[in-house]
Amino acid sequence: MAVPSPSGLLRGNALRLLRYLVLGAGLAAMMAITVPGLNPQSRSWLVVILWCCLGFFASELAIKSLTGAQAKAERNYFLTSSGIIDLLAVLPIPLALLIGVPADTAWLLVSLWLLKLAPAVPGLALLGRVIEQEARPLASVFVIFLIVLLLSAVALYALERTGQPERFGSLPQSLWWAVTTLTTTGYGDAVPQTFLGRMIAGTVMIFGLGVFGLWTGILATGFAAEHRRRDFIQNWDLVTSVPFLRNLDAPAVIELTHKLRRLDLAERNVVVRRGRPGDCMYFIASGEVEVKVEPQPVRLGAGSFFGEFALLDGGPRRATVVTTMPSTFLVLEVSDFRAFTAHHPELAKAVEREAARRRGTSEEEPLVGAQPASQIPEYRDE
Amino acid sequence: MAVPSPSGLLRGNALRLLRYLVLGAGLAAMMAITVPGLNPQSRSWLVVILWCCLGFFASELAIKSLTGAQAKAERNYFLTSSGIIDLLAVLPIPLALLIGVPADTAWLLVSLWLLKLAPAVPGLALLGRVIEQEARPLASVFVIFLIVLLLSAVALYALERTGQPERFGSLPQSLWWAVTTLTTTGYGDAVPQTFLGRMIAGTVMIFGLGVFGLWTGILATGFAAEHRRRDFIQNWDLVTSVPFLRNLDAPAVIELTHKLRRLDLAERNVVVRRGRPGDCMYFIASGEVEVKVEPQPVRLGAGSFFGEFALLDGGPRRATVVTTMPSTFLVLEVSDFRAFTAHHPELAKAVEREAARRRGTSEEEPLVGAQPASQIPEYRDE
Amino acid sequence: MAVPSPSGLLRGNALRLLRYLVLGAGLAAMMAITVPGLNPQSRSWLVVILWCCLGFFASELAIKSLTGAQAKAERNYFLTSSGIIDLLAVLPIPLALLIGVPADTAWLLVSLWLLKLAPAVPGLALLGRVIEQEARPLASVFVIFLIVLLLSAVALYALERTGQPERFGSLPQSLWWAVTTLTTTGYGDAVPQTFLGRMIAGTVMIFGLGVFGLWTGILATGFAAEHRRRDFIQNWDLVTSVPFLRNLDAPAVIELTHKLRRLDLAERNVVVRRGRPGDCMYFIASGEVEVKVEPQPVRLGAGSFFGEFALLDGGPRRATVVTTMPSTFLVLEVSDFRAFTAHHPELAKAVEREAARRRGTSEEEPLVGAQPASQIPEYRDE
Amino acid sequence: MAVPSPSGLLRGNALRLLRYLVLGAGLAAMMAITVPGLNPQSRSWLVVILWCCLGFFASELAIKSLTGAQAKAERNYFLTSSGIIDLLAVLPIPLALLIGVPADTAWLLVSLWLLKLAPAVPGLALLGRVIEQEARPLASVFVIFLIVLLLSAVALYALERTGQPERFGSLPQSLWWAVTTLTTTGYGDAVPQTFLGRMIAGTVMIFGLGVFGLWTGILATGFAAEHRRRDFIQNWDLVTSVPFLRNLDAPAVIELTHKLRRLDLAERNVVVRRGRPGDCMYFIASGEVEVKVEPQPVRLGAGSFFGEFALLDGGPRRATVVTTMPSTFLVLEVSDFRAFTAHHPELAKAVEREAARRRGTSEEEPLVGAQPASQIPEYRDE
């Protein structure tokens, strides 16, 4: 019941790249157009580029809405978050121009195109969850921040307004000083001059470091926990696709899932290089690799593993391994291998048995997945 | 067995909101009144607003003290921290006006109203405990900070006083430079010009990052530990209100209490939405939900659970679930469910049995709480 | 074989406070003396204060060295770190005045008195160990910092020297810009103006955040680990002084030592207050407390415990407890108590048995230490 | 069985030090040469120094490539990363001078010599791995950073361009403001003046703290994890070189490997000093120490241990121990010793047996390594 990954026209990698290029070109053109003293010809060309980008997004929107309509989507495309983002990218600019907004200001709406990046950022949903989970402590720190902000602004207003009426002459001005100081930004446009004002300012700066520290700690802890959780879920699906690992008992699988690290590689990438020090072994979750051994290379497919010699005897890599198609690996570090096999010797034994077979000292059945194993004729080290 | 939430006159949600609105209006008016060049009429209106706010807090204080007197409170209301805060909000302003403080300065005391926020910040008590617990390392870092501050101020005073007498002409001035630099605020109003002075300043900046790092680390670690502890205590009370969880053996309950996450939702909120990916299940600690299944919706009450199909088979949510009253849930993530059930298969079995019953393949007694379970006629997926 | 804590004349608490006062007065006088435009009379008084402080430290040094000589110290006092610090506090100022250094500059050496604070900072030794332990990663980050610093300074020098020769006209000047930017201090005295220079500057700032992050993380992690280790060692000694805890089996003692928190209180301090919510219980490692129960208060001595009712039934504190002498407690939080007793039910049973005895429903022998227990006549709650 | 440390001509410690000195001299000369107003003679000398440094690196390159050619290296030396760095250090400067670049600019290429530091930084490879492992969350935070950067720049451009055309007159200028603000650098060269602009700026600063916090957390967590992993691998090799530790069962060895800390000391270094408090014991992984006991000192070699009395009875060190050759130790803290032996009493027993033998109350065979143990005639405490 795995969720199928649809790869239609509009979701291909090439198209995604094109979309990012259009986005980049649009933003660059928008920035360039604001530079004063631009000659009229360059300006015309930049406007042409902007219209082209807008046209691209408009046609994308049209295709998506039509395709969605055909596909009997559960909900109207224009009500999904993706649809709203696409609409926000296309409509506001012509509308602004129509109602008479000056062109320079209207084109600033190009910055709305940035919203298209949001779904592509894997960590954005993660960040949203972290903020949701840690909402209460973050809110507490924020209220403390606000209280310190206001109290210090009031104090500085009372102390400095007579000496520097143009800097601290009103509470909003004093608040501006407070926010630049409490965040340790320190523009230096408003600086207290009285002795007491400087004492308070120093305390506010030190307090700023503390607020900052709390903020950092809460976000960092939450982010780390969420990330670990997501990795676990992704790894779990991969672990269960490797028969060799799936057959361990449940607590062992849990433990291993925490230790393994996912690695995605494109076609023709070198995974390990002969002669380099080896500090991990690889399980193939999907894809295929070629092991460059003599007399002829060997292919290993999904469910198989390699790189175990480095873990067993600590020597350098004995062969170069290259992917033959986009592949996903589960990487087990030597430290984790040792820690894990200390409690679960069955994994070490199975790996050793397979390694012995590959060295040619054993004639047992290979442990690797059934279909690629039949392609392994002579994977023996000299 | 839900904990009853007392809602008297002065503790209602509406009144709390009103109090925050008054507080916000008062602060905004205080800020606006300090802006120079305000026309007299606006100014009069702002003063009226401020008096109204003050009147509100004064009447609140009066009601509270009278209610407290009737309720035979253990201690005098004016000696509790809440009473002192209320007094500080009301008395100082009229007193200041009486003794002849100019109105502008007197109204600055409105900032004392911010203290009313303190009890409402859940993390403030937490922060107090963290600082109490980590007092010794924090104090150490603070002393190191002070030593570096003074030594660098003395060094810069010795090096720069001849070149910039108006900036580094006295040790207090040099200390001001040191505090803005060590906190990496960097106003730029005093900048060393000699070669040696700049070398020392650079070292001080780098040291500032280190001090900052220590501060951050201590506060963050302490905050995280305290927060975990408080969550545990709150979750423990909720876990023991779910019979299904309470019946596990003690170590399992401890482990589960650490893994569960509390979720409070108001009436008519969607908990899970049909078709969305499911990555957690929910235990109802208090309240009630409606599961939108065909032919007619099913209601689940306190002690029941839902969302378990997503954990068992990894598919999308099969039904939308909506709260019918303010409810509290304990959320179990899929990763925690798997890790937990690896060591405690009895929970997985019980959940599976109930899931099987709900699918209609079993006629066993429901595991959910007694009184709402009788209302579940036909909760079967097609 | 515990190390005896000598408390002679020079190590008393009152004398330590006096020393800090003298230190503070000296530093304040040194600062005040540097303020230009001071009238001569004030100045004379400040100098008198400084000489008095110096005299105090000199006499302290004399007494210490004589006492040390009598006590047949293993090493010469002037060769210990404490002796060197004391010498550095006393000698340099008269020497500087003798060789003709102007008084203003000579008195700056008062800042050497700050070194006397170093032994009093509990975390300073800790910080030293953290830096020793984490020396390699800290050095790595520092070298990366230096490389980025120099490369960005060279780049900005090449790009900006023609436009701003007075700001970026030499590499040392450009380095000054780089260090203020990379530490995110940002004085603003040197700001790149070229497009490329600003691009590089922006990258440097972002890199600065990263360097900062690494630094923070390394120091924070190391500090937390060292602190935990030191707490463990201190708690271990206390735990073994409570017979009730010492008799648990070894793994349980280890686990409990990690969970307990040390609390030192002076005489006549309230430990728990009747009616307050109770979230922890207390073991008395040393000292004595008085439990304010009717008809007459009860005294508990070292080895005893109290506050267990709050953990067993979750209610508020039933009696106020006050220290009768300086005491040290080991505090066990309710969350830790529950987690611990889940794995080690023997502690829970022993605590419950004692609680039952105190409630008067059991006539067993008390579990508390022998000599204070005999003083507990009627500690029963109504 | 110590790992042999190869010390050829080009890898000796003296040569490495010389190389760093040359590097430092070159960088200093390059900096000095850029200072305006340098007299011609000094300048000539600096150029001579620079040519000498360049000559040094050129000859090093020549020797290395010739040696490599003789040693039948697997790959061409000029294609290794080390070879490329060496080439980049030597070639660009003469080439630049040849094609007519002004000498001042050409010598700036000396900064390329810094690349030679990269292989010497132990944490650089570590940092690379951390960034590789945490690439996805770091990229997410970076994209969020960019989005906030651009949106705030657009907002400030729209709000401030009329009031401050020379500061916010174009989007690139506004972006410059945004990057200095979001990183909390705050040069203060561009400061918003409108009320709304300042509101947005304040929000951006607070957001900057958040971004910073995420960044810090991700890097710190990753760095800590990688460091722990590397320590484990290094310790593992050392643990297996101590027979006393190697003979524990596998889970115990894993646990101990996590707890031990590596310590490298040169010849004639004091490891423990008589009379000091003892909080750890030492296993000798390689090298030799001399224990200063009466009547004559005792030597302990690789595989032996010392300092165990302090752990067993908590007293001060009974003898001073000094290294007689460069040695590597595994340090076990008292807290870790207690925690470990609680679960693995066999280690405690073995240590106690050996301690008893050393005290002279037992005639058992020593547990220390075979060859040095024969040199221990009379290691008994009085």
Side-chain angles (χ1 to χ4, degrees), chain C residues 26-46:
Chain C
L27 290 172
M30 175 190 72
M31 276 189 223
I33 218 170
T34 65
V35 175
L38 200 70
N39 69 36
Q41 203 175 2
S42 306
R43 198 186 150 77
S44 316
W45 276 111
L46 289 169

PDB file of all heavy atoms in Angstrom, chain C residues 26-46:
ATOM      1  N   GLY C  26      37.918  49.288  45.949  1.00  0.00           N
ATOM      2  CA  GLY C  26      39.123  49.613  45.187  1.00  0.00           C
ATOM      3  C   GLY C  26      38.827  49.821  43.716  1.00  0.00           C
ATOM      4  O   GLY C  26      39.267  50.805  43.097  1.00  0.00           O
ATOM      5  N   LEU C  27      38.039  48.918  43.147  1.00  0.00           N
ATOM      6  CA  LEU C  27      37.714  49.026  41.724  1.00  0.00           C
ATOM      7  C   LEU C  27      36.910  50.289  41.445  1.00  0.00           C
ATOM      8  O   LEU C  27      37.169  51.003  40.465  1.00  0.00           O
ATOM      9  CB  LEU C  27      36.937  47.795  41.256  1.00  0.00           C
ATOM     10  CG  LEU C  27      37.743  46.502  41.182  1.00  0.00           C
ATOM     11  CD1 LEU C  27      36.835  45.327  40.893  1.00  0.00           C
ATOM     12  CD2 LEU C  27      38.811  46.613  40.101  1.00  0.00           C
ATOM     13  N   ALA C  28      35.928  50.577  42.321  1.00  0.00           N
ATOM     14  CA  ALA C  28      35.106  51.769  42.128  1.00  0.00           C
ATOM     15  C   ALA C  28      35.969  53.024  42.211  1.00  0.00           C
ATOM     16  O   ALA C  28      35.833  53.947  41.387  1.00  0.00           O
ATOM     17  CB  ALA C  28      33.991  51.809  43.177  1.00  0.00           C
ATOM     18  N   ALA C  29      36.894  53.054  43.197  1.00  0.00           N
ATOM     19  CA  ALA C  29      37.762  54.226  43.341  1.00  0.00           C
ATOM     20  C   ALA C  29      38.660  54.372  42.116  1.00  0.00           C
ATOM     21  O   ALA C  29      38.865  55.490  41.615  1.00  0.00           O
ATOM     22  CB  ALA C  29      38.599  54.084  44.610  1.00  0.00           C
ATOM     23  N   MET C  30      39.182  53.256  41.615  1.00  0.00           N
ATOM     24  CA  MET C  30      40.027  53.311  40.432  1.00  0.00           C
ATOM     25  C   MET C  30      39.260  53.892  39.247  1.00  0.00           C
ATOM     26  O   MET C  30      39.770  54.721  38.494  1.00  0.00           O
ATOM     27  CB  MET C  30      40.543  51.925  40.078  1.00  0.00           C
ATOM     28  CG  MET C  30      41.332  51.908  38.789  1.00  0.00           C
ATOM     29  SD  MET C  30      41.699  50.233  38.223  1.00  0.00           S
ATOM     30  CE  MET C  30      40.105  49.663  37.671  1.00  0.00           C
ATOM     31  N   MET C  31      38.003  53.466  39.094  1.00  0.00           N
ATOM     32  CA  MET C  31      37.200  53.988  37.984  1.00  0.00           C
ATOM     33  C   MET C  31      36.955  55.476  38.159  1.00  0.00           C
ATOM     34  O   MET C  31      37.095  56.260  37.213  1.00  0.00           O
ATOM     35  CB  MET C  31      35.863  53.259  37.936  1.00  0.00           C
ATOM     36  CG  MET C  31      35.943  51.961  37.187  1.00  0.00           C
ATOM     37  SD  MET C  31      34.311  51.303  36.942  1.00  0.00           S
ATOM     38  CE  MET C  31      34.627  49.608  37.324  1.00  0.00           C
ATOM     39  N   ALA C  32      36.561  55.860  39.378  1.00  0.00           N
ATOM     40  CA  ALA C  32      36.214  57.262  39.613  1.00  0.00           C
ATOM     41  C   ALA C  32      37.414  58.169  39.381  1.00  0.00           C
ATOM     42  O   ALA C  32      37.271  59.285  38.850  1.00  0.00           O
ATOM     43  CB  ALA C  32      35.683  57.423  41.038  1.00  0.00           C
ATOM     44  N   ILE C  33      38.586  57.690  39.737  1.00  0.00           N
ATOM     45  CA  ILE C  33      39.796  58.521  39.647  1.00  0.00           C
ATOM     46  C   ILE C  33      40.143  58.868  38.195  1.00  0.00           C
ATOM     47  O   ILE C  33      40.836  59.853  37.924  1.00  0.00           O
ATOM     48  CB  ILE C  33      40.968  57.801  40.351  1.00  0.00           C
ATOM     49  CG1 ILE C  33      41.821  58.821  41.097  1.00  0.00           C
ATOM     50  CG2 ILE C  33      41.853  57.045  39.389  1.00  0.00           C
ATOM     51  CD1 ILE C  33      42.843  58.150  42.005  1.00  0.00           C
ATOM     52  N   THR C  34      39.659  58.064  37.255  1.00  0.00           N
ATOM     53  CA  THR C  34      39.997  58.323  35.854  1.00  0.00           C
ATOM     54  C   THR C  34      39.085  59.342  35.206  1.00  0.00           C
ATOM     55  O   THR C  34      39.339  59.776  34.082  1.00  0.00           O
ATOM     56  CB  THR C  34      39.908  57.023  35.025  1.00  0.00           C
ATOM     57  OG1 THR C  34      38.546  56.598  35.012  1.00  0.00           O
ATOM     58  CG2 THR C  34      40.800  55.942  35.586  1.00  0.00           C
ATOM     59  N   VAL C  35      37.962  59.687  35.886  1.00  0.00           N
ATOM     60  CA  VAL C  35      37.012  60.616  35.269  1.00  0.00           C
ATOM     61  C   VAL C  35      37.657  62.003  35.196  1.00  0.00           C
ATOM     62  O   VAL C  35      38.080  62.543  36.223  1.00  0.00           O
ATOM     63  CB  VAL C  35      35.700  60.664  36.073  1.00  0.00           C
ATOM     64  CG1 VAL C  35      34.760  61.708  35.500  1.00  0.00           C
ATOM     65  CG2 VAL C  35      35.054  59.299  36.092  1.00  0.00           C
ATOM     66  N   PRO C  36      37.751  62.611  34.021  1.00  0.00           N
ATOM     67  CA  PRO C  36      38.371  63.933  33.922  1.00  0.00           C
ATOM     68  C   PRO C  36      37.474  64.987  34.578  1.00  0.00           C
ATOM     69  O   PRO C  36      36.260  64.812  34.662  1.00  0.00           O
ATOM     70  CB  PRO C  36      38.491  64.187  32.417  1.00  0.00           C
ATOM     71  CG  PRO C  36      37.860  63.029  31.727  1.00  0.00           C
ATOM     72  CD  PRO C  36      37.220  62.157  32.729  1.00  0.00           C
ATOM     73  N   GLY C  37      38.096  66.079  35.037  1.00  0.00           N
ATOM     74  CA  GLY C  37      37.328  67.165  35.643  1.00  0.00           C
ATOM     75  C   GLY C  37      36.931  66.887  37.072  1.00  0.00           C
ATOM     76  O   GLY C  37      36.006  67.498  37.596  1.00  0.00           O
ATOM     77  N   LEU C  38      37.578  65.919  37.701  1.00  0.00           N
ATOM     78  CA  LEU C  38      37.323  65.612  39.105  1.00  0.00           C
ATOM     79  C   LEU C  38      37.978  66.709  39.945  1.00  0.00           C
ATOM     80  O   LEU C  38      39.110  67.110  39.671  1.00  0.00           O
ATOM     81  CB  LEU C  38      37.965  64.260  39.410  1.00  0.00           C
ATOM     82  CG  LEU C  38      37.484  63.483  40.615  1.00  0.00           C
ATOM     83  CD1 LEU C  38      36.072  62.953  40.387  1.00  0.00           C
ATOM     84  CD2 LEU C  38      38.447  62.328  40.880  1.00  0.00           C
ATOM     85  N   ASN C  39      37.288  67.190  41.005  1.00  0.00           N
ATOM     86  CA  ASN C  39      37.951  68.225  41.803  1.00  0.00           C
ATOM     87  C   ASN C  39      39.038  67.594  42.684  1.00  0.00           C
ATOM     88  O   ASN C  39      38.951  66.422  43.064  1.00  0.00           O
ATOM     89  CB  ASN C  39      36.945  69.060  42.604  1.00  0.00           C
ATOM     90  CG  ASN C  39      36.295  68.279  43.721  1.00  0.00           C
ATOM     91  OD1 ASN C  39      36.921  67.446  44.346  1.00  0.00           O
ATOM     92  ND2 ASN C  39      35.027  68.568  43.948  1.00  0.00           N
ATOM     93  N   PRO C  40      40.098  68.335  42.980  1.00  0.00           N
ATOM     94  CA  PRO C  40      41.290  67.762  43.633  1.00  0.00           C
ATOM     95  C   PRO C  40      40.987  67.102  44.972  1.00  0.00           C
ATOM     96  O   PRO C  40      41.597  66.094  45.331  1.00  0.00           O
ATOM     97  CB  PRO C  40      42.210  68.972  43.817  1.00  0.00           C
ATOM     98  CG  PRO C  40      41.742  69.954  42.791  1.00  0.00           C
ATOM     99  CD  PRO C  40      40.278  69.743  42.644  1.00  0.00           C
ATOM    100  N   GLN C  41      39.999  67.668  45.706  1.00  0.00           N
ATOM    101  CA  GLN C  41      39.707  67.108  47.017  1.00  0.00           C
ATOM    102  C   GLN C  41      39.149  65.678  46.913  1.00  0.00           C
ATOM    103  O   GLN C  41      39.630  64.758  47.573  1.00  0.00           O
ATOM    104  CB  GLN C  41      38.690  68.011  47.721  1.00  0.00           C
ATOM    105  CG  GLN C  41      38.735  67.852  49.227  1.00  0.00           C
ATOM    106  CD  GLN C  41      37.806  68.831  49.914  1.00  0.00           C
ATOM    107  OE1 GLN C  41      37.106  69.593  49.249  1.00  0.00           O
ATOM    108  NE2 GLN C  41      37.795  68.806  51.216  1.00  0.00           N
ATOM    109  N   SER C  42      38.127  65.499  46.028  1.00  0.00           N
ATOM    110  CA  SER C  42      37.566  64.168  45.806  1.00  0.00           C
ATOM    111  C   SER C  42      38.689  63.219  45.406  1.00  0.00           C
ATOM    112  O   SER C  42      38.769  62.078  45.880  1.00  0.00           O
ATOM    113  CB  SER C  42      36.531  64.197  44.677  1.00  0.00           C
ATOM    114  OG  SER C  42      35.563  65.172  44.924  1.00  0.00           O
ATOM    115  N   ARG C  43      39.545  63.719  44.546  1.00  0.00           N
ATOM    116  CA  ARG C  43      40.625  62.900  44.050  1.00  0.00           C
ATOM    117  C   ARG C  43      41.517  62.408  45.194  1.00  0.00           C
ATOM    118  O   ARG C  43      41.881  61.217  45.254  1.00  0.00           O
ATOM    119  CB  ARG C  43      41.456  63.741  43.069  1.00  0.00           C
ATOM    120  CG  ARG C  43      42.313  62.917  42.177  1.00  0.00           C
ATOM    121  CD  ARG C  43      43.226  63.799  41.339  1.00  0.00           C
ATOM    122  NE  ARG C  43      44.414  63.037  41.077  1.00  0.00           N
ATOM    123  CZ  ARG C  43      44.468  62.081  40.174  1.00  0.00           C
ATOM    124  NH1 ARG C  43      43.410  61.815  39.433  1.00  0.00           N
ATOM    125  NH2 ARG C  43      45.560  61.379  40.019  1.00  0.00           N
ATOM    126  N   SER C  44      41.836  63.329  46.115  1.00  0.00           N
ATOM    127  CA  SER C  44      42.676  62.948  47.257  1.00  0.00           C
ATOM    128  C   SER C  44      42.008  61.839  48.054  1.00  0.00           C
ATOM    129  O   SER C  44      42.629  60.853  48.459  1.00  0.00           O
ATOM    130  CB  SER C  44      42.916  64.150  48.160  1.00  0.00           C
ATOM    131  OG  SER C  44      43.218  65.278  47.400  1.00  0.00           O
ATOM    132  N   TRP C  45      40.710  62.007  48.298  1.00  0.00           N
ATOM    133  CA  TRP C  45      39.998  60.993  49.067  1.00  0.00           C
ATOM    134  C   TRP C  45      40.042  59.639  48.380  1.00  0.00           C
ATOM    135  O   TRP C  45      40.219  58.599  49.024  1.00  0.00           O
ATOM    136  CB  TRP C  45      38.554  61.437  49.306  1.00  0.00           C
ATOM    137  CG  TRP C  45      38.443  62.343  50.479  1.00  0.00           C
ATOM    138  CD1 TRP C  45      38.149  63.672  50.460  1.00  0.00           C
ATOM    139  CD2 TRP C  45      38.682  62.011  51.845  1.00  0.00           C
ATOM    140  NE1 TRP C  45      38.180  64.196  51.718  1.00  0.00           N
ATOM    141  CE2 TRP C  45      38.506  63.192  52.606  1.00  0.00           C
ATOM    142  CE3 TRP C  45      39.043  60.831  52.509  1.00  0.00           C
ATOM    143  CZ2 TRP C  45      38.673  63.222  53.978  1.00  0.00           C
ATOM    144  CZ3 TRP C  45      39.202  60.864  53.880  1.00  0.00           C
ATOM    145  CH2 TRP C  45      39.016  62.043  54.607  1.00  0.00           C
ATOM    146  N   LEU C  46      39.850  59.655  47.050  1.00  0.00           N
ATOM    147  CA  LEU C  46      39.882  58.386  46.300  1.00  0.00           C
ATOM    148  C   LEU C  46      41.239  57.714  46.437  1.00  0.00           C
ATOM    149  O   LEU C  46      41.341  56.491  46.600  1.00  0.00           O
ATOM    150  CB  LEU C  46      39.547  58.637  44.821  1.00  0.00           C
ATOM    151  CG  LEU C  46      38.083  59.002  44.545  1.00  0.00           C
ATOM    152  CD1 LEU C  46      37.923  59.483  43.111  1.00  0.00           C
ATOM    153  CD2 LEU C  46      37.163  57.831  44.819  1.00  0.00           C
TER     154      LEU C  46
END
